[in-house]
Amino acid sequence: MYEPIRTKSVHSTMAGTSDFPHRSREEELDIQLAGYLSALLAVTDELRAQAPSADLDAAADRLVAQVCRLRGGTPLRATPGAEHGDPVALHRRAHALAGRALVVAASRADTAVAILAAERMDAHTAALAADPRELTATG
């Protein structure tokens, strides 16, 4: 009634041979985590340019160390321009990035990055609470 299939399925021929490398889940999480930490480092550098502080300097150094550990190279760091962003918006962005990094770090059981991300979230929450413009914007 039906003629049998005489050629191999595309799926069966592709399953055994791979022309491109596949990454493991752990490698994908490492790449994602390094991306969030690099973005957090960029925002931290912007905040450091606006108001230099020892806390932000230490945070930037710790972020660089973790990105180097995850990706095996030093992250590219941009020099903030003369025109800086709104500090409230930068703190909100940094808080969100630290939160995303915390989620990924928890899923890959990276305690060092999870602690760093939680500390950065706390620091940016405190900075937002201390800014009088934030009180008028949310209240």
Side-chain angles (χ1 to χ4, degrees):
M1 185 173 230
Y2 293 104
E3 185 174 337
I5 298 173
R6 296 180 188 192
T7 60
K8 289 188 175 187
S9 167
V10 173
H11 300 289
S12 65
T13 59
M14 292 299 288
T17 60
S18 176
D19 292 341
F20 58 93
H22 291 280
R23 293 187 202 113
S24 67
R25 180 177 186 274
E26 290 78 23
E27 290 171 324
E28 290 291 339
L29 289 175
D30 283 350
I31 292 168
Q32 187 178 25
L33 185 56
Y36 287 139
L37 292 177
S38 295
L40 180 57
L41 176 61
V43 175
T44 301
D45 285 342
E46 281 285 327
L47 288 167
R48 287 175 57 215
Q50 287 183 6
S53 74
D55 178 52
L56 289 173
D57 292 341
D61 292 341
R62 290 175 63 196
L63 289 167
V64 167
Q66 292 302 324
V67 172
C68 289
R69 181 180 62 85
L70 291 167
R71 298 304 301 149
T74 57
L76 182 64
R77 296 179 74 175
T79 305
E83 206 171 294
H84 303 295
D86 178 32
V88 171
L90 288 172
H91 281 294
R92 284 183 184 155
R93 179 158 170 73
H95 185 274
L97 288 166
R100 291 179 186 138
L102 178 60
V103 170
V104 176
S107 71
R108 64 182 298 277
D110 191 333
T111 308
V113 174
I115 290 170
L116 174 60
E119 288 173 359
R120 296 318 309 149
M121 286 180 73
D122 289 344
H124 294 293
T125 299
L128 287 170
D131 194 324
R133 291 180 297 158
E134 180 64 18
L135 295 175
T136 59
T138 59

